[in-house]
Amino acid sequence: YGKTELALLYYPKSSILAARRLFMRDLKRIKGLMPLLETKGYSPNKKTFTCQQVALIFDYYGSPYPPDD
């Protein structure tokens, strides 16, 4: 996922810039998440998340997709 693409899944009613800003702010507030993302190759300069990084985000932040019923 691109950072903006993933952010818009969590903040679909926000503008592109607002969604990305809110999403990254939220990730930084989750204790311990950013260091884990960095061990998986995260860098603020990269525009995408790897599959491993997305899995960590889903584990810590929750999935943006509704659960299957």
Side-chain angles (χ1 to χ4, degrees), residues 19-64:
R20 185 170 168 156
R21 189 176 328 113
L22 290 167
F23 179 63
M24 294 309 297
R25 179 205 63 194
D26 290 348
L27 294 186
K28 290 174 185 173
R29 288 181 175 177
I30 298 172
K31 188 172 185 165
L33 178 57
M34 294 310 286
L36 279 175
L37 289 173
E38 289 168 2
T39 67
K40 302 297 182 188
Y42 171 77
S43 167
N45 299 326
K46 292 185 180 177
K47 297 188 186 309
T48 59
F49 291 111
T50 66
C51 292
Q52 290 180 330
Q53 292 166 349
V54 171
L56 282 172
I57 291 167
F58 284 8
D59 286 346
Y60 278 75
Y61 194 55
S63 173

Side-chain angles (χ1 to χ4, degrees), residues 3-5 7-23:
K3 287 181 181 178
T4 301
E5 177 186 10
L8 285 168
L9 292 176
Y10 286 96
Y11 293 98
K13 295 182 180 182
S14 296
S15 70
I16 290 170
L17 292 175
R20 185 170 168 156
R21 189 176 328 113
L22 290 167
F23 179 63

